[in-house]
Amino acid sequence: MREIKAAVEAIARLIFGRDQVRYEVPDETRLTETDLIHRALMALLQNGKICEAEDYLFASVSPGNRSHLLVALDFYQRLSEMRDEELEKANFSRAEILDGLRDITAKFDLDI
């Protein structure tokens, strides 16, 4: 869990100039493509569909789009904060979180 948190924080510092990442919808009346991706991911997570959420993330993000990277980092940070029981119930592991984080950052030409 510490490795995931450290990786997310390092990328956040490097790319966004901050230690923590949390994607916030800036304007509820004018949703962007990124806002919609984030909302879909959060809905899937709320329903315990972690595998489907991760698949959706990989299908939706565009390399080079910084806001998509922010959503991806937020997603993996949220996964890392989940209890082991929640992850197990969704048939997901901490190792898969780290693997997914590595894979998604590689799409953005970042190596963790």
Side-chain angles (χ1 to χ4, degrees), residues 27-80:
D27 184 351
E28 294 288 337
T29 62
R30 300 173 82 185
L31 297 175
T32 66
E33 173 194 23
T34 307
D35 297 337
L36 296 173
I37 292 169
H38 175 72
R39 285 216 169 151
L41 289 170
M42 295 305 102
L44 288 165
L45 285 182
Q46 270 188 321
N47 290 310
K49 297 180 178 183
I50 297 173
C51 295
E52 291 92 336
E54 187 177 47
D55 291 344
Y56 178 79
L57 175 69
F58 275 87
S60 301
V61 297
S62 300
N65 185 323
R66 287 173 42 112
S67 62
H68 286 187
L69 176 59
L70 182 61
V71 166
L73 293 174
D74 174 86
F75 174 75
Y76 284 106
Q77 184 160 311
R78 288 175 192 267
L79 287 184
S80 74

Side-chain angles (χ1 to χ4, degrees), residues 1 4 79-80 82-84 87 93-98:
M1 190 158 104
I4 297 163
L79 287 184
S80 74
M82 293 176 79
R83 294 186 332 260
D84 289 337
L87 293 171
S93 69
R94 298 226 175 263
E96 287 175 296
I97 297 171
L98 188 55

